[in-house]
């Protein structure tokens, strides 16, 4: 009976040590999970910031494209006017006074 009691005590002691080890392992896993969660949140925030910056750049590019198109149209109009003026100047130069 004493041998059984001693055996049971050793088994309980062994189980207690295993439980302590498991608790420490679970605690370590929880800490790592919290760190992973914080990293994930930081990455999500970074992705949102990048998306906002990308959207702003796309909007800016659209505005720049509109401005460039407008400038090109104005340059074409000025070229046309200059061309007509050059023709008028040649006609005036060729007239006898």
């Amino acid at each position: 009976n004493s041998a059984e009691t001693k055996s049971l005590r050793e088994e309980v002691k062994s189980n207690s040590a295993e439980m302590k080890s498991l608790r420490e392992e679970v605690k370590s896993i929880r800490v790592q999970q919290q760190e992973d969660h914080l990293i994930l949140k930081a990455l999500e925030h970074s992705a949102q910031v990048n998306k906002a910056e990308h959207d702003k750049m796309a909007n800016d590019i659209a505005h720049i494209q509109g401005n460039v198109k407008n400038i090109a149209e104005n340059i074409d109009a000025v070229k046309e006017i200059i061309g007509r003026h050059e023709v008028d100047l040649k006609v005036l130069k060729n007239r006898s006074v």
Side-chain angles (χ1 to χ4, degrees):
N1 205 0
S2 176
E4 271 184 41
T5 304
K6 186 176 180 182
S7 174
L8 283 173
R9 282 187 186 147
E10 290 298 320
E11 196 174 325
V12 167
K13 190 175 180 181
S14 174
N15 286 343
S16 291
E18 275 187 53
M19 288 292 287
K20 183 178 179 184
S21 175
L22 286 173
R23 281 189 191 112
E24 289 174 7
E25 197 172 328
V26 166
K27 184 178 178 182
S28 174
I29 289 170
R30 282 186 182 145
V31 168
Q32 185 61 52
Q33 185 182 24
Q34 288 172 345
E35 289 175 3
D36 291 348
H37 179 74
L38 292 175
I39 290 168
L40 178 61
K41 287 293 184 186
L43 289 172
E44 286 176 344
H45 176 71
S46 178
Q48 290 170 348
V49 168
N50 285 341
K51 170 93 170 75
E53 289 173 352
H54 179 267
D55 289 348
K56 184 186 179 313
M57 285 190 331
N59 191 33
D60 289 346
I61 288 169
H63 281 97
I64 291 168
Q65 286 174 331
N67 289 340
V68 168
K69 183 179 178 186
N70 188 24
I71 290 168
E73 289 170 356
N74 288 338
I75 289 172
D76 288 343
V78 169
K79 284 180 181 177
E80 186 178 324
I81 292 168
I82 289 172
R84 282 187 296 207
H85 285 178
E86 287 177 353
V87 169
D88 290 344
L89 286 173
K90 283 182 185 179
V91 168
L92 288 174
K93 283 182 184 179
N94 290 334
R95 281 191 186 171
S96 56
V97 182

